[in-house]
Amino acid sequence: MDEKELLTAEQRFLTGENFYLQHFLGVQKEAECYTFRVWAPHAQQVWLVGDFNQWDDSLPMTKRQESGVWEISSDLPSEGQLYKFKVRQASGKEIMKLDPFAITFEKRPGTAAVLHTITERKWKDGLWRGRQKRSRSFQRPLNIYEVHASSWKTKEDGTPYTFFDLKVELVSYVKEMGYTHIEFMPLTEHPLGMSWGYQTTGYFALSSYYGTPEEFQDFVEYCHLNNIGVFVDWVPAHYCANEDALPYYDGTPTFEYEDSDRAKNNRWGTICFDLGKPQVQSFLISSALFWIEMYHVDGIRADAVSSMLYLDYDEGPWTPNEEGGNRNYEGFYFLQKLNAVIKLAHPQTLMMAEESTSETKITGTIEEGALGFDYKWNMGWMNDILRFYEMDPIYRKDHFTLLTFSFMYMMNENYILPFSHDEVVHGKKSLMHKMWGDRYKQFSQLRNMYTYLMTHPGKKLLFMGSEWGQFLEWKYDEGLEWVDLNDSMNKKMQVFTKTLNELYHQQRSLWELEGSYDTIEIIDADNQDESILTFMRKGKRKKDFLIIVLNLTPIERHDFPIGVPYKGVYTEILNTEKKEFGGTWTASNPDRETSDVPFKKYNQQIQTIVPALGALIIQPNKIKLTNKN
């Protein structure tokens, strides 16, 4: 940059409008040297220290007075060397601080940044990216496999796979299983594996635990060449409290709020970003764009959005806003700004929010008062459904609304239905282990629940290992229990999940009218006594619909009546109790022909056998469209 460009970049940083801040701060490789810049406005002095000067005070930096940015150019550093900034803070205390803009760090427990220049890449995924620009995600299948990169699989010596290893094995597995996207828990640098990446130190750095930036680029490109999208979790709400990281960088509130109650996140032991500070807005939005543009990721899931929206979300004291309420206006407007900037630059990129309340409109247009996200995780649906399936069936008739309540609000937002990592840790048990009854019944109900997941309006997400019903809870520092697949029940569960994924992809009625009540028609949601739910999913064409039957008790129902919209013949295309899935049925129900016997609002019905704790999906075969009720 020449001086004029520097002044422009500096001014845009100060006003919160520099969305490529990594080209101003951090490290810039010049023709014959490196230039280092770091924001520490109240520091008394900052030094560049590293392998190239024996970590001494021989390289003092100078301060740009307007912005509080310190800078130095030197020909001493070289690629691959470690460095930090030594900061004499406002109080006079001297401390080693990491570079907030480093793109890679040494392997933990070390915390020094590594001088690493990523060369410009000639990407080969243009066909994939072109299709994403032309397509509408809401009217396409979206079935996400959630992954913790270092514990999906480990090597024989217990070391985790890197993206070099994951490129072949994970991509081929996801493709074989029929998922459309992989979503990674945070890949940003973090010092403690136990945090799963949600306590970030390097917002521009791929964790060295997972390999090099170039290896992750290769991985994403390979996914795209195999028609698989890649999402990443990203944490704009809070960051790691380690002293050598972002907290109180120059000895005063820098990235964090002035108010210590707002700055400290008691629940998670982290520090909260001051989302109203222009410099912080530039920092965070630049980070998000960096991941989208440097790695070609297809979407970003913002973690902990509720904590950014409400002043009283955390444990501990809080101060009401100027209107006396609990709304965090800085967080609200920052999230709108984040989505507006990203959508302007990359309209095809999907923005997703992990948000657990219903007081704020999360998805939809900013002009209408929403935050501008594309999707919101439906945490209410997830909690209700898991509570229901954990319940002894004898009590389910009294709590049937847990299963059906979501029908009342399912179009309020654009939802993703998540069975995520959060539900299989900390003593909550795995999804399979949550299910009521003995092992056979647990697998039956898991297949039933996954059928509801796939047929309920909303996009889908399942955490790794859940696809075959891993019994043990997820362990962040160990690989999944792949040995489970030597057991026929687990193997058949995996076959079922694959079959269900393929059915979801093939059946347009399960996603074509997503976001509209036209996609669903309730047949009977009032059969609490037998605890059977029946509904339809519908596509654009009249004859393109599916009938879903969920039996939530261990009682097989014979001659069970189902109201249907048209006369004709109906064919069962999925029976969760088939032997190949782990059940006992050797054959499907035969085709059923309608009878002119009314059922609720329908003038005709079919009758079939509904297996105990089983789910059926039934499709019209030969029907007369003119006879609709």
Side-chain angles (χ1 to χ4, degrees):
M1 289 186 185
D2 60 28
E3 188 58 30
K4 183 177 180 181
E5 291 173 322
L6 281 175
L7 289 171
T8 300
E10 184 177 43
Q11 187 58 37
R12 289 175 68 83
F13 166 54
L14 293 173
T15 57
E17 298 298 319
N18 188 333
F19 306 134
Y20 293 91
L21 194 54
Q22 69 274 16
H23 299 315
F24 173 52
L25 298 179
V27 184
Q28 318 304 320
K29 188 174 184 180
E30 312 289 351
E32 297 178 356
C33 67
Y34 288 91
T35 297
F36 297 77
R37 296 189 186 91
V38 63
W39 180 48
H42 297 103
Q44 295 181 20
Q45 179 61 52
V46 181
W47 295 266
L48 172 65
V49 296
D51 291 340
F52 38 81
N53 68 341
Q54 291 73 52
W55 300 84
D56 63 22
D57 295 351
S58 60
L59 293 173
M61 304 174 75
T62 58
K63 186 177 182 181
R64 299 177 67 89
Q65 292 300 324
E66 183 179 1
S67 60
V69 169
W70 297 79
E71 63 185 357
I72 188 173
S73 294
S74 174
D75 59 3
L76 292 178
S78 59
E79 286 284 306
Q81 291 188 306
L82 304 180
Y83 73 96
K84 284 190 174 185
F85 297 117
K86 181 179 177 181
V87 180
R88 180 181 292 157
Q89 296 180 321
S91 65
K93 177 182 177 180
E94 293 184 357
I95 185 171
M96 294 286 196
K97 285 284 193 176
L98 56 76
D99 179 2
F101 291 85
I103 58 175
T104 187
F105 287 83
E106 63 179 324
K107 283 189 168 58
R108 56 186 191 236
T111 58
V114 180
L115 270 174
H116 183 84
T117 303
I118 304 177
T119 57
E120 188 172 350
R121 182 186 183 89
K122 293 183 178 180
W123 288 83
K124 301 174 184 176
D125 60 351
L127 183 61
W128 164 270
R129 287 166 66 83
R131 283 201 304 267
Q132 303 316 299
K133 289 180 180 179
R134 294 189 298 270
S135 66
R136 298 188 62 183
S137 69
F138 300 105
Q139 298 175 355
R140 296 178 59 212
L142 183 60
N143 188 9
I144 304 165
Y145 187 60
E146 188 190 25
V147 173
H148 179 252
S150 59
S151 62
W152 182 73
K153 190 174 282 190
T154 56
K155 300 175 184 177
E156 290 185 4
D157 63 359
T159 57
Y161 276 26
T162 65
F163 276 106
F164 178 82
D165 308 302
L166 291 170
K167 176 180 170 181
V168 175
E169 289 202 38
L170 177 57
V171 176
S172 61
Y173 180 77
V174 168
K175 186 175 182 180
E176 173 67 19
M177 288 297 295
Y179 292 98
T180 65
H181 290 72
I182 302 169
E183 180 174 322
F184 287 106
M185 294 164 66
L187 301 177
T188 43
E189 190 60 77
H190 54 283
L192 182 65
M194 192 181 295
S195 78
W196 313 335
Y198 292 100
Q199 296 192 12
T200 299
T201 51
Y203 275 80
F204 293 79
L206 175 78
S207 174
S208 57
Y209 205 63
Y210 302 140
T212 68
E214 290 82 1
E215 286 173 342
F216 185 51
Q217 287 181 324
D218 288 344
F219 177 88
V220 175
E221 181 178 79
Y222 192 68
C223 283
H224 290 172
L225 293 175
N226 284 274
N227 295 316
I228 296 168
V230 179
F231 300 148
V232 292
D233 283 11
W234 180 68
V235 191
H238 58 106
Y239 50 90
C240 179
N242 285 10
E243 191 178 33
D244 67 336
L246 298 182
Y248 300 94
Y249 202 90
D250 62 9
T252 69
T254 310
F255 291 91
E256 52 275 291
Y257 288 104
E258 294 275 352
D259 182 341
S260 60
D261 288 338
R262 297 185 69 183
K264 185 178 180 181
N265 190 306
N266 297 289
R267 180 178 300 174
W268 297 318
T270 54
I271 306 295
C272 298
F273 282 107
D274 181 347
L275 298 171
K277 190 176 290 186
Q279 297 93 327
V280 171
Q281 294 176 1
S282 286
F283 174 77
L284 287 172
I285 295 174
S286 294
S287 168
L289 282 172
F290 175 82
W291 284 88
I292 293 166
E293 296 178 358
M294 179 60 71
Y295 297 113
H296 281 201
V297 299
D298 302 284
I300 288 177
R301 177 248 194 201
D303 180 67
V305 168
S306 297
S307 71
M308 304 168 74
L309 293 176
Y310 306 107
L311 298 169
D312 59 348
Y313 187 78
D314 188 26
E315 300 166 352
W318 65 282
T319 302
N321 60 32
E322 58 271 21
E323 296 175 351
N326 68 342
R327 170 76 72 188
N328 180 357
Y329 288 113
E330 296 99 327
F332 181 91
Y333 291 119
F334 165 74
L335 290 167
Q336 285 190 326
K337 181 176 181 178
L338 167 74
N339 286 315
V341 170
I342 288 178
K343 284 300 181 178
L344 181 63
H346 301 282
Q348 78 280 7
T349 298
L350 296 183
M351 297 297 292
M352 297 157 281
E354 186 263 330
E355 205 278 330
S356 55
T357 72
S358 58
E359 297 173 35
T360 301
K361 187 78 164 69
I362 305 299
T363 63
T365 65
I366 293 170
E367 292 76 11
E368 295 174 337
L371 291 181
F373 284 96
D374 294 294
Y375 291 105
K376 172 185 177 178
W377 276 26
N378 193 338
M379 311 297 284
W381 179 88
M382 175 272 298
N383 284 312
D384 286 348
I385 296 308
L386 291 179
R387 182 182 166 198
F388 184 85
Y389 277 85
E390 287 182 87
M391 190 180 299
D392 188 318
I394 197 171
Y395 302 114
R396 288 177 179 171
K397 64 180 180 180
D398 298 321
H399 300 276
F400 207 62
T401 53
L402 287 173
L403 195 68
T404 61
F405 178 65
S406 57
F407 292 151
M408 304 295 292
Y409 68 85
M410 60 187 169
M411 300 303 163
N412 289 358
E413 303 269 11
N414 301 322
Y415 287 116
I416 290 174
L417 309 178
F419 288 137
S420 74
H421 64 276
D422 270 329
E423 312 318 315
V424 295
V425 289
H426 299 325
K428 295 179 184 178
K429 302 186 289 190
S430 68
L431 293 185
M432 186 271 184
H433 196 188
K434 292 178 194 287
M435 301 296 105
W436 168 87
D438 59 29
R439 191 165 188 258
Y440 178 88
K441 292 184 176 68
Q442 286 177 321
F443 274 112
S444 293
Q445 289 168 104
L446 196 62
R447 295 191 296 269
N448 187 307
M449 188 175 75
Y450 288 178
T451 303
Y452 194 35
L453 166 70
M454 281 299 170
T455 57
H456 190 289
K459 306 307 184 185
K460 325 300 175 186
L461 180 142
L462 188 67
F463 184 59
M464 63 183 195
S466 302
E467 70 272 20
W468 71 73
Q470 177 171 304
F471 181 79
L472 297 178
E473 282 191 345
W474 166 59
K475 301 181 181 68
Y476 74 90
D477 54 351
E478 297 181 16
L480 295 177
E481 298 288 327
W482 292 95
V483 68
D484 286 351
L485 294 175
N486 295 329
D487 183 287
S488 64
M489 289 296 287
N490 290 110
K491 185 63 180 176
K492 289 178 179 179
M493 184 69 215
Q494 186 188 46
V495 170
F496 172 77
T497 303
K498 176 184 175 182
T499 302
L500 193 60
N501 288 347
E502 291 171 347
L503 185 146
Y504 169 67
H505 199 276
Q506 294 163 0
Q507 297 293 331
R508 301 179 69 88
S509 59
L510 294 177
W511 39 265
E512 193 172 47
L513 295 177
E514 200 94 74
S516 165
Y517 275 105
D518 292 338
T519 192
I520 189 168
E521 186 172 313
I522 308 300
I523 298 174
D524 188 2
D526 301 318
N527 190 353
Q528 295 100 327
D529 288 341
E530 291 180 304
S531 295
I532 295 182
L533 172 65
T534 52
F535 63 96
M536 277 189 282
R537 289 297 306 276
K538 301 187 294 183
K540 292 180 180 179
R541 299 164 61 198
K542 284 186 177 181
K543 66 178 182 180
D544 186 11
F545 64 91
L546 298 175
I547 296 170
I548 294 90
V549 185
L550 304 176
N551 184 359
L552 288 312
T553 68
I555 302 170
E556 185 171 276
R557 304 294 182 179
H558 291 255
D559 300 322
F560 183 78
I562 304 167
V564 294
Y566 302 106
K567 288 185 178 182
V569 178
Y570 290 77
T571 299
E572 183 179 282
I573 62 170
L574 184 76
N575 184 326
T576 62
E577 284 302 297
K578 293 284 289 293
K579 201 165 186 178
E580 59 261 38
F581 302 144
T584 58
W585 284 47
T586 57
S588 300
N589 279 300
D591 287 358
R592 302 297 187 180
E593 190 167 358
T594 56
S595 60
D596 293 329
V597 178
F599 182 92
K600 291 209 163 187
K601 66 179 181 179
Y602 303 97
N603 292 328
Q604 52 274 320
Q605 62 174 257
I606 58 172
Q607 293 187 352
T608 193
I609 302 172
V610 183
L613 295 174
L616 305 177
I617 298 181
I618 299 168
Q619 189 175 50
N621 188 341
K622 299 175 183 178
I623 58 173
K624 299 177 181 179
L625 295 178
T626 57
N627 293 329
K628 190 177 189 301
N629 299 290

